[in-house]
C-alpha cells in the first residue's frame, strides 16, 4: 500500500510517500481503507521526535476516516462497507482508571500516530474500539478533521469546567484546532465567549465560530479587555493551551471561583504562578487531555448534525504531506489540513469542504 512515513526524526524533508507492506488484521481489528487523514500540531511534534514513537518506519497521523474493508473474527460492531472515523486514544483496559470507566486517565494511555502506527496511509488495521461510525451525509474530510481537537475541547469545557449558560468563557488561540472547537462548544452551551488570537483574520474565524468578543493579543491586553467588558469581573472559565506566554495573565483574568483549564503548553511548561491569586480567588486549576469514548460519541454527534464544525484550511494529496506539515508548523492560515490518498485526490473523489464553519 501507499503510505506516508518517515525513517528518522527531523525536518519536513524526512517525510516520504511510498510503498509499505499492507497491515495485518488482528482478531479484534478492522482493515480500513483510509479516505482522508486529518493533521494536528501533534504530528509536527512527533515528526521532530517529541515524543518518539520508537520504531521506524513510522506512519504518522492520529485523525482519519475511511471505509471498513474486512473485519477480524472477534469484531462485533462493524462490517465491510461501514464508513468510520478514527478515535485515536487507546487505553490498557486493566488499570484502576480503565476499570472505573474514565479511560482518559489510563496509566498506559497511548495515542495512535503518536505512540503507535498512525493512519495516514491507504490502509490501516484498527481495533474496533478505535472506530466510530459516521453518517452517510458526512464527508470523509470533515470526519477526519474533527475527532482529536473536538474531543479535547469537549472534555475541557463540558466534563472538567462544566461550563453553563451565561458564563464568561475566555479562549486563547481561538483560531487553532482546540481553540476553534472550544469557542463553538462554549457558544453552543450558551456562554459569552471572549476569543484571543494574533491577527484580525484569525479573529474573523473565531467570530464565525460564535465568539462574542475578539481580542488581538498583539495589540490589546486580554486581561484589561475582558475586565473592561464585564465591569471588572473577568472570566468564569479560561481555556489555556498556550502555556508560559499566557499563564500569569490567564490567572489574572479569572473572577472569584473561576476554573482555569489547560491542555497544553506550546510556549513553554514552566511559567511563574502567583499563588495568592489562586487561593484568594479560590480558583480551580484543571488539567485535561483527550477524553473518554463516551465523550467522543457525545461531541461527534454534534459534529455530524452540523452543530459543531471543524474548519479545514486545505485538502492536499498524501504525497504533499510535507507541505501540510509546513503549513502547520509555520502557522500559515488556520484550521485543520487534511490529506487524501493520491489516487483519490487526482480523481477528485473527495468533497471539498475547505473553509466550512
Ligand atoms: Zn488503563
Amino acid at each position: 500500500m501507499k503510505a506516508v512515513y518517515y525513517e528518522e526524526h527531523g525536518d519536513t524533508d524526512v517525510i516520504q510517500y511510498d510503498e509499505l507492506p499492507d497491515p495485518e488484521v488482528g482478531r479484534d481489528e478492522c482493515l480500513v481503507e483510509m479516505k482522508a487523514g486529518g493533521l494536528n500540531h501533534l504530528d509536527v511534534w512527533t515528526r521532530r521526535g517529541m515524543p518518539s514513537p520508537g520504531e521506524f518506519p513510522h506512519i504518522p497521523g492520529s485523525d482519519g476516516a475511511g471505509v471498513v474493508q474486512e473485519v477480524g473474527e472477534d469484531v462485533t460492531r462493524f462490517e465491510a462497507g461501514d464508513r468510520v472515523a478514527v478515535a485515536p486514544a487507546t487505553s490498557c483496559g486493566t488499570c484502576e482508571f480503565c476499570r472505573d470507566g474514565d479511560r482518559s486517565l489510563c496509566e498506559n494511555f497511548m495515542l495512535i500516530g503518536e505512540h503507535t502506527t498512525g493512519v495516514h496511509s491507504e490502509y490501516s488495521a484498527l481495533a474496533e474500539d478505535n472506530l466510530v461510525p459516521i453518517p452517510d451525509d458526512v464527508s470523509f474530510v470533515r470526519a477526519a478533521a474533527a475527532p482529536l481537537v473536538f474531543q479535547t475541547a469537549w472534555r475541557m469545557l463540558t466534563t472538567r469546567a462544566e461550563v453553563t449558560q451565561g458564563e464568561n468563557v475566555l479562549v486563547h488561540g481561538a483560531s487553532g484546532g482546540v481553540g476553534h472547537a472550544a469557542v463553538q462548544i462554549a457558544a453552543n452551551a450558551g456562554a459569552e465567549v471572549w476569543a484571543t488570537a494574533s491577527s484580525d483574520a484569525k479573529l474573523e474565524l473565531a467570530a464565525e465560530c460564535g465568539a462574542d468578543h475578539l481580542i488581538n493579543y498583539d495589540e490589546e491586553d486580554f486581561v484589561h479587555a475582558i475586565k473592561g467588558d464585564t465591569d471588572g469581573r473577568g472570566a468564569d472559565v479560561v481555556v489555556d493551551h498556550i502555556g508560559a506566554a499566557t499563564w500569569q495573565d490567564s490567572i489574572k483574568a479569572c473572577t472569584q471561583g473561576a476554573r482555569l483549564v489547560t491542555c497544553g503548553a506550546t510556549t513553554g511548561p514552566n511559567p511563574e504562578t502567583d499563588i495568592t491569586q489562586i487561593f484568594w480567588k479560590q480558583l480551580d486549576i484543571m488539567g485535561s487531555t483527550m477524553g473518554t469514548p463516551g465523550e467522543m460519541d457525545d461531541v461527534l454527534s454534534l459534529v455530524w448534525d452540523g452543530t459543531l464544525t471543524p474548519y479545514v484550511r486545505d485538502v492536499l494529496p498524501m504525497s504533499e504531506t510535507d507541505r501540510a506539515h509546513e503549513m502547520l508548523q509555520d502557522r500559515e492560515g488556520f484550521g485543520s489540513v487534511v490529506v487524501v490518498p493520491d489516487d483519490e485526490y487526482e480523481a477528485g473523489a473527495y468533497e471539498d469542504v475547505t473553509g466550512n464553519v
Side-chain angles (χ1 to χ4, degrees), residues 91-95 98 106-108:
S91 54
C92 71
T94 56
C95 74
C98 286
C106 175
E107 293 169 359
N108 297 298

Side-chain angles (χ1 to χ4, degrees), residues 103-119:
R103 287 164 52 179
S104 75
L105 291 171
C106 175
E107 293 169 359
N108 297 298
F109 170 87
M110 290 201 288
L111 199 60
I112 288 170
E114 186 183 23
H115 308 99
T116 65
T117 301
V119 299

Side-chain angles (χ1 to χ4, degrees), residues 7-337:
E7 302 269 12
E8 59 182 329
H9 295 299
D11 207 342
T12 55
D13 58 2
V14 302
I15 299 169
Q16 304 184 54
Y17 180 66
D18 211 334
E19 290 289 332
L20 283 185
D22 286 355
E24 286 178 25
V25 185
R27 295 174 64 104
D28 64 341
E29 290 182 327
C30 299
L31 182 69
V32 180
E33 182 179 8
M34 303 308 299
K35 298 289 190 181
L39 281 97
N40 298 283
H41 257 282
L42 189 66
D43 296 298
V44 173
W45 291 112
T46 306
R47 191 200 71 228
R48 290 171 174 163
M50 299 174 283
S52 173
E55 284 184 25
F56 297 105
H58 176 66
I59 298 174
S62 303
D63 276 332
V67 179
V68 173
Q69 294 297 319
E70 60 179 78
V71 298
E73 53 201 277
D74 292 346
V75 170
T76 59
R77 290 189 293 118
F78 296 99
E79 58 186 39
D82 286 348
R83 303 170 89 245
V84 290
V86 178
T90 68
S91 54
C92 71
T94 56
C95 74
E96 64 172 296
F97 302 103
C98 286
R99 290 199 312 272
D100 288 348
D102 192 343
R103 287 164 52 179
S104 75
L105 291 171
C106 175
E107 293 169 359
N108 297 298
F109 170 87
M110 290 201 288
L111 199 60
I112 288 170
E114 186 183 23
H115 308 99
T116 65
T117 301
V119 299
H120 291 176
S121 50
E122 275 185 306
Y123 296 97
S124 276
L126 294 158
E128 68 174 333
D129 285 351
N130 290 111
L131 296 174
V132 289
I134 54 180
D136 289 344
D137 62 347
V138 174
S139 75
F140 292 115
V141 170
R142 182 184 175 94
L148 189 62
V149 292
F150 274 84
Q151 183 189 39
T152 301
W154 181 263
R155 182 173 176 85
M156 290 179 86
L157 282 161
T158 305
T159 307
R160 300 291 280 140
E162 298 183 272
V163 66
T164 57
Q165 187 163 13
E167 288 195 303
N168 300 336
V169 177
L170 172 64
V171 178
H172 289 307
S175 68
V178 170
H180 90 302
V183 169
Q184 293 182 55
I185 291 163
N188 187 55
E192 189 164 348
V193 181
W194 281 256
T196 77
S198 61
S199 74
D200 291 345
K202 291 178 177 179
L203 288 169
E204 270 178 41
L205 171 63
E208 284 181 52
C209 289
D212 304 287
H213 308 272
L214 309 175
I215 306 168
N216 183 331
Y217 61 71
D218 280 346
E219 297 172 357
E220 195 177 3
D221 172 6
F222 67 80
V223 179
H224 188 259
I226 190 169
K227 295 255 182 183
D229 291 336
T230 57
D231 291 331
R233 189 171 175 280
D236 297 291
V237 175
V238 179
V239 173
D240 193 327
H241 52 96
I242 309 293
T246 48
W247 186 253
Q248 285 177 286
D249 282 343
S250 287
I251 290 172
K252 283 184 197 161
C254 285
T255 189
Q256 305 301 117
R259 295 89 80 198
L260 169 51
V261 201
T262 172
C263 73
T266 49
T267 59
N270 288 306
E272 284 188 16
T273 298
D274 182 350
I275 291 170
T276 58
Q277 293 251 343
I278 294 177
F279 68 72
W280 189 250
K281 293 200 279 196
Q282 302 195 50
L283 303 183
D284 284 323
I285 309 287
M286 299 171 163
S288 190
T289 192
M290 297 299 297
T292 63
E295 287 162 345
M296 182 68 96
D297 290 342
D298 288 346
V299 71
L300 288 183
S301 70
L302 296 175
V303 173
W304 302 156
D305 76 11
T307 303
L308 307 173
T309 302
Y311 185 91
V312 178
R313 85 181 87 170
D314 213 346
V315 179
L316 296 173
M318 279 190 181
S319 60
E320 293 179 29
T321 297
D322 54 345
R323 172 75 190 123
H325 277 234
E326 276 172 19
M327 291 167 77
L328 288 174
Q329 71 188 29
D330 297 341
R331 301 185 186 281
E332 295 172 31
F334 31 81
S336 182
V337 183

